[in-house]
Amino acid sequence: MSSWIISDALVVPMTERRSFTGHVRIRDGVITAVDAGTPLKSDDSEKIIDGAGCVLMPGLVNAHTHLYQVLLRAVWEDLELMPWLKRIYGCARVLRPDHFYTGSLFGCVEAIRSGVTTLCEHNFLNPSPECAFETIRAIKDSGLRSVFARTIMDAGEIVPDCTKEKPEQAFRRIEEILAHHARGEQLQFMTGPNTPPINTTPRLLKEIRGFADDKALGISAHVAESKSVVECVRREHGKSGVVEFLQQFDIPGSNSIFAHSVHISKDEIGLLKQTGSSVSHNPVSNMMLGDGVAPVVEMLRQGVNVALGTDGAASNHSQDLFDTMKAASLLHKVHHQDAGVIDPYSVLRMATAGGAKALGLDSICGTIEVGKRADLILVDMNTIHNQPVNDVFSQIVHCAKASDVRTVMVNGEILMRDRKLTRHDDAKLMADARQANSDLMKRVNQLSF
Ligand SMILES: [Zn+2]
């Protein structure tokens, strides 16, 4: 593996609220030095990437997405969660493994192009076992670091039979995935109930924590995304909230990540803190579906670890975390009618170190530190909309765009340099995605919802 020096950049390590002009040295995928000033080459094998005019920061961590949904951008618009979900779930009847491969790879590349180096793919549609395998193959082919959360649905009127699984059947299929793929720093796995309680039985919830612990898997779940989910938990289970409901099954925990957590009480935030659970905040998706505003400010005040996610492109339209960072900042300021309620450093932390912690990868990535893997991005600040630079944290969150990301490195491997992908070709990817979309939409249009 190559040795690199990224020189003369404005380094934003995200270990604390500071930045400095300096360099980062990388050997065999590991950060070996982070220093101010211009470095001297230690030997001829070191290659230099000139970071002048750029911010050098940890790659972004997208803590919650459904990659294949890039094929379903802007298909079901202006719908609330339940009718929208009915279509998303119903689509399982016509999705094939090759749609998952093409869509997921396309989603990964959109992520790379917007500065993401790690993502958590929350998988929930499994009409055949190959669908998960093809998604994992696509993520591996992209070069991204990832957590594949293979979740389960075993109940629910809107869940088609083809993707409903008995717990033991789903556990067996997950074991097959684990047997087939080596787990390591590049690829980790989680499981979880997809959207409790609307598509899970109490039996699944009783069994899933034991299964997860037995296999050393974290848990990813959609939690309290809309009022309708909370109404369901009250009506059918006599609990006041989804987190409180999940607590009886021991689902919250230090290796659990709850996407959304929009409609949760103060006591439930306390429960998240007490159990060490993390939350993936997905503000663009929440706004698009009219879900509400997650109490992120209160979570941060209580010390809950919060990450950022785009969610799938069917409810976000993109895989762009720069968009999501700006949306998060503005949403909470206007919601609280208080401009000082959230600051840019906290937002950027959610998109880097907070995400890494939520996915159990904080010893590997999320900050620029000696000993961590080289998951780094260079963001070009030498553009009209980024100049002059007065507050780098505010300007990364509020001014920079995904298209300013020049270079992306994962594990010391360059996946994009000066906007050019190293593993893939944009034109071919777009042609493949258009073809997959046209095929999928012909099949979708034959469905009735
Ligand atoms: Zn989601």
Side-chain angles (χ1 to χ4, degrees), residues 64-66 69 84 122 124 194-195 221-222 225 259-260 282 285 310-312 315:
H64 182 82
T65 187
H66 316 288
Q69 286 184 7
W84 177 83
H122 179 108
F124 61 98
N194 180 41
T195 305
H222 291 114
E225 182 170 355
H260 307 301
N282 312 306
S285 174
T310 54
D311 212 351
S315 62

Side-chain angles (χ1 to χ4, degrees), residues 89-94 126-128 159-165 173:
Y89 288 172
C91 199
R93 287 179 280 159
V94 295
N126 288 289
S128 73
V159 183
D161 286 343
C162 67
T163 196
K164 226 180 250 175
E165 300 168 296
R173 286 176 167 184

Side-chain angles (χ1 to χ4, degrees), residues 12-18 58 345 349 353 366-369 372:
V12 173
M14 293 309 293
T15 47
E16 56 187 315
R17 202 184 298 247
R18 74 177 183 123
Y345 181 79
R349 208 186 164 283
T367 55
I368 301 182
E369 287 178 87
K372 284 204 177 179

